[in-house]
């Protein structure tokens, strides 16, 4: 029996069809799963769930080979729970994350990706403790939503730049049914991990975090060099990681059931995902980006 490989991309949720529109867009790009923000990633304004065509979107996924159980919601990056120097924004982050969990449930989506945040002027250990405390407060034990902490590039004061840091967040929360990890290939490369040595990377991941806690992969090439701490995504095969390496993350036996979500840049105002996914699904490699002029 052939195993299913789950490939999708970031899709935006837009008026008027919202979830249904996103599902149609994913289908048109040959995706069998996808990721979205429930509104603009940089703000907290959200359309009411009633207007998001959720039942129709769920039905569309079911009828069109899109696996809802492999789809992902990305929490907005304005949430920063890794610092509580400003009690208002810390409290805001917690209540917003609680609402995101509720929204995940309404969509029928299990994975909620969260950036661990910026420690700003706090010490690393205090910052991790601050995040752990917030997560424990936010997690709803009766929910089946898993908050997936994303591995970060280490830009500025970002926490979660090493597997050890991510592991201590998970250990602190101590609830693997509600907290897990999203591994971003661009981010770990920019953080200094030699992504091409996949077996070593996965072994290190397993020994620190545990592979059973890995639920989502963000598959991106990087515009910058190993250890740059920049976080600049590139199209697959056009960056410093390279196509051959990225392809290994799609087909590695230890990563098979995990959804791979592309967050690569658009080319000439068009999404490149149909071509990038086509390339990953087939054996061929061609300079598809030239066709985007
Ligand atoms: Fe992210
Ligand atoms: Fe990412
Ligand atoms: Zn990124």
């Amino acid at each position: 029996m052939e195993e299913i490989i789950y490939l999708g991309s970031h899709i935006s949720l837009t008026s008027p069809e919202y979830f249904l529109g996103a599902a149609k867009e994913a289908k048109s790009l040959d995706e069998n799963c996808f990721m979205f923000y429930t509104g603009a990633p940089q703000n907290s304004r959200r359309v009411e769930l009633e207007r998001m065509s959720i039942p129709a979107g769920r039905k569309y996924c079911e009828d069109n080979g899109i696996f809802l159980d492999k789809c992902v919601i990305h929490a907005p990056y304005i949430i920063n729970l890794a610092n509580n120097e400003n009690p208002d924004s810390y409290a805001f982050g917690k209540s917003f994350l609680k609402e995101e969990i509720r929204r995940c449930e309404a969509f029928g989506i299990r994975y909620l990706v969260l950036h661990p945040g910026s420690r700003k002027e706090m010490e690393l250990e205090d910052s991790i403790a601050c995040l752990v405390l917030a997560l424990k407060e936010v997690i709803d034990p009766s929910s089946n939503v898993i908050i997936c902490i994303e591995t970060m590039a280490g830009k500025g004061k970002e926490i979660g730049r090493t597997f050890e840091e991510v592991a201590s967040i998970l250990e602190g929360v101590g609830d693997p049914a509600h907290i897990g990890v999203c591994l971003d290939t661009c981010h770990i490369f920019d953080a200094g991990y030699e992504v091409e040595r996949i077996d070593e990377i996965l072994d290190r991941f397993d020994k620190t975090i545990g592979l059973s806690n890995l639920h989502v992969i963000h598959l991106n090439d990087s515009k910058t060099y190993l250890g740059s701490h920049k976080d600049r995504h590139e199209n697959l095969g056009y960056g410093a990681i390279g196509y051959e390496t990225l392809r290994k993350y799609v087909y590695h036996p230890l990563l098979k059931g995990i959804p791979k979500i592309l967050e690569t840049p658009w080319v000439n105002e068009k999404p490149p995902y149909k071509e990038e996914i086509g390339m990953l699904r087939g054996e061929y490699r061609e300079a598809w980006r030239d066709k985007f002029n």
Side-chain angles (χ1 to χ4, degrees), residues 5-11 25-26 28-34 219 236 243 247 250-251 260-262 264 272-284 288:
I5 299 290
Y6 302 98
L7 283 167
S9 72
H10 164 243
I11 302 278
E25 171 79 355
S28 78
L29 298 167
D30 298 336
E31 306 183 2
N32 60 2
C33 61
F34 62 98
L219 197 75
L236 308 186
Y243 173 71
R247 191 172 198 285
V250 175
Y251 292 99
K260 320 305 188 300
I261 306 288
L262 279 64
T264 52
Y273 308 121
K274 191 182 177 119
E275 285 71 17
E276 291 185 296
I277 287 171
M279 188 167 78
L280 291 166
R281 288 214 183 270
E283 291 297 325
Y284 69 98
W288 56 268

Side-chain angles (χ1 to χ4, degrees), residues 37 74 77 113 115 150 152 184 187 218 263:
Y37 290 83
H74 199 309
Y77 18 89
V113 169
H115 289 186
E150 184 162 351
M152 301 310 287
D184 187 310
H187 294 178
H218 282 171
E263 303 171 296

Side-chain angles (χ1 to χ4, degrees), residues 69-75 97 100-102 104-105 108-114 135 138-150 170 173 175-182 211-216 259:
D69 59 334
K70 300 290 175 181
C71 287
V72 179
I73 286 180
H74 199 309
L97 194 56
E100 285 285 84
I101 293 173
R102 196 177 52 81
C104 281
E105 282 171 341
I109 288 176
R110 268 170 70 206
Y111 303 129
L112 176 59
V113 169
L114 176 71
L135 289 168
V138 161
I139 284 169
D140 171 3
S142 70
S143 153
N144 65 355
V145 173
I146 305 178
I147 297 173
C148 299
I149 300 295
E150 184 162 351
L170 265 63
V173 177
D175 184 359
H178 298 103
I179 187 93
V181 176
C182 165
L211 274 173
S212 62
N213 294 309
L214 179 58
H215 301 294
V216 179

Side-chain angles (χ1 to χ4, degrees), residues 38-40 42-47 78 96:
T38 59
Q42 68 279 12
N43 72 41
S44 61
R45 260 172 289 122
R46 294 295 179 261
V47 167
I78 37 148
F96 196 86

Side-chain angles (χ1 to χ4, degrees), residues 118-175:
S118 167
R119 64 184 175 83
K120 297 186 175 175
E121 301 313 314
M122 284 174 73
E123 294 299 325
L124 179 62
E125 271 171 52
D126 300 334
S127 167
I128 288 175
C130 185
L131 173 61
V132 165
L133 202 69
L135 289 168
K136 281 181 156 172
E137 200 181 309
V138 161
I139 284 169
D140 171 3
S142 70
S143 153
N144 65 355
V145 173
I146 305 178
I147 297 173
C148 299
I149 300 295
E150 184 162 351
T151 58
M152 301 310 287
K155 197 168 60 177
K157 301 289 175 71
E158 261 172 10
I159 68 164
R161 62 196 267 166
T162 65
F163 292 170
E164 287 75 13
E165 283 178 34
V166 173
S168 58
I169 297 164
L170 265 63
E171 273 159 35
V173 177
D175 184 359

